[in-house]
Amino acid sequence: MESRFRRALGQAHPAVFTAVAGTAGFCAYFAMYAFRKPFTAATFELVPGWHWVLDYKIALIVAQVAGYALSKFIGIKVVSEIAPRHRAAAILALIGLSWLALVAFAIIPAPWNVAALFLNGVPLGMIWGLVFGFMEGRRVSEVLASMLCASFILSSGVVKSVGTWLMQSEHVDRFWMPAATGLLFMPLLFVSVWVLSALPPPSARDEAERIKRAPMTGAERRSFLKAYAPGLIAIVVAYVLLTAFRDFRDNFAAEIWAALGYGGKAAIFSASELPVALIALAGMALVILVRDNRRALLVIHIMIASGFALLGVSTLAFQAHLISPFVWVVLSGSGLYIAYSPINAVLFDRMVAASGRIANAGFLIYVADSFGYLGSVALLLWRNFGQRSLDWLSFFMGGAYVTSVVGTVLTLFAALYFFRRAPEQRAAESLAPVPA
């Protein structure tokens, strides 16, 4: 059955293939978030057995993000070297381990159950790269990547809404709620991963336009990093700011919404993220029209810089009382994800294509992610110990300004560097519809 399905997709119209592959990637990563983010819907106040200076919820988030960061460093090797035929089994095994850690979180009392969130984060950190491996190196990679990125924008709000509903309507204990939420999404996970495993590999025409993708050795990874070090360092530093700020916004959405007067409204998480996904990902998908990889790389950098700028401008407008709290959250979130999503997907895919080297984008994504999540841990600890007296909303707005200004400068530098560094593709037209 799987082989017949693969042959049918290989012969299908590109629009059909894109719809099937993109939906499968979206659903697989969407389901993963049900094992990662639901616990953040709870406030975890007055937890029995917790007497530490560090806030309990911050301790949970730091533990999970620390595991996630460790996973990203492991993923630099694992994701870049894994054979395509092993990806699907690896996704299911890793998410299964993460769910067992959530069960342990419910069973083990505080403070010891904090370690369960660390164990939950370690396997989940490699899922993005494994799923993206099915998407990269294709002529339709931008559309596939935009659909995949939509999953982490929408899923975070949806799974928090599901977690809130389980606690409020079904009276599920706050410690069992994360495992219960994951259980609800297991059927979606199995079906979507099966479809991913049946996708045909990139065609000869894909490889001609986007360069062949293959596992990389350690020496090949080091050679690539050395060749493009200045631009990559600028992008990674900008991405550290983005990841830390995005994680803070995501993990403490309940506290931020409460400060804005929307506390206890389960639907607000999903309602605010849907327009963010539509705004942030529409532009990324349109990059598919730019056939020349060097010019596409420049367009993507300009898009990222625009996202950084929107984050700061919208925050300034909110403070000047020109827009409502809800509009501000949508616009600032849009700016955040306009900048974040391309770096997490199409930027490195096009960078590999523009380089002319046989490689894969997964290892570049994981180099950026590993440092990004270290930055997220550092921000959480600094917020708890260095800025504890500062309220959530003020801290969030201050972070928006810093991220906006520094990120814009670094991205413009990287844009100039890569445009001069990448070889020009004279054979491809810069603007054209995707060939059938």
Side-chain angles (χ1 to χ4, degrees), residues 333-423:
S334 298
L336 175 62
Y337 281 105
I338 286 171
Y340 181 85
S341 300
I343 299 177
N344 212 40
V346 297
L347 174 67
F348 293 130
D349 185 63
R350 285 290 193 152
M351 190 180 296
V352 171
S355 74
R357 298 179 177 221
I358 295 177
N360 62 68
F363 100 94
L364 289 171
I365 292 172
Y366 272 68
V367 168
D369 261 351
S370 57
F371 289 100
Y373 282 98
L374 280 182
S376 184
V377 173
L379 178 65
L380 288 169
L381 293 176
W382 182 65
R383 164 66 180 84
N384 191 80
F385 294 110
Q387 296 289 328
R388 194 165 188 175
S389 61
L390 194 63
D391 65 85
W392 296 105
L393 195 56
S394 298
F395 188 83
F396 182 74
M397 288 190 289
Y401 286 127
V402 172
T403 302
S404 176
V405 173
V406 178
T408 300
V409 172
L410 290 173
T411 303
L412 292 177
F413 166 79
L416 182 62
Y417 172 83
F418 283 113
F419 189 72
R420 291 179 173 179
R421 184 75 174 79

Side-chain angles (χ1 to χ4, degrees), residues 182-264:
L183 195 62
L184 292 177
F185 283 83
M186 280 187 179
L188 178 64
L189 174 68
F190 283 111
V191 173
S192 57
V193 171
W194 181 87
V195 174
L196 287 176
S197 70
L199 295 179
S203 67
R205 294 189 67 185
D206 289 329
E207 292 180 354
E209 286 195 24
R210 298 297 180 91
I211 303 300
K212 182 179 180 179
R213 306 306 164 98
M216 300 178 71
T217 64
E220 290 170 334
R221 295 193 296 270
R222 288 190 294 272
S223 175
F224 197 106
L225 293 174
K226 184 177 180 181
Y228 301 99
L232 286 172
I233 290 172
I235 285 296
V236 168
V237 173
Y239 189 70
V240 167
L241 293 173
L242 277 173
T243 305
F245 187 72
R246 168 188 171 266
D247 249 30
F248 182 86
R249 176 184 183 271
D250 201 23
N251 290 325
F252 297 100
E255 287 79 1
I256 293 170
W257 279 119
L260 292 171
Y262 293 84

Side-chain angles (χ1 to χ4, degrees), residues 20 67 102 116 134 147 160 172 188 273 312 319 329 367 408:
V20 173
L102 293 179
F134 292 104
M147 295 174 72
K160 284 197 281 284
V172 176
L188 178 64
E273 298 306 271
Q319 284 195 294
V329 172
V367 168
T408 300

Side-chain angles (χ1 to χ4, degrees), residues 29 33 128 132 141-154 235 238-239 242-243 246 249 273 275-285 287 300-301 303-308 332-350 361 365 368-369 373 411:
Y29 206 70
Y33 255 69
W128 174 263
F132 187 74
S141 283
E142 281 81 12
V143 179
L144 296 177
S146 66
M147 295 174 72
L148 182 58
C149 288
S151 66
F152 64 67
I153 298 175
L154 293 173
I235 285 296
Y239 189 70
L242 277 173
T243 305
R246 168 188 171 266
R249 176 184 183 271
E273 298 306 271
V276 167
L278 295 175
I279 294 170
L281 301 176
M284 193 169 77
V287 178
I300 293 167
H301 277 91
M303 184 186 307
I304 293 168
S306 300
F308 276 118
S332 62
S334 298
L336 175 62
Y337 281 105
I338 286 171
Y340 181 85
S341 300
I343 299 177
N344 212 40
V346 297
L347 174 67
F348 293 130
D349 185 63
R350 285 290 193 152
I365 292 172
D369 261 351
Y373 282 98
T411 303

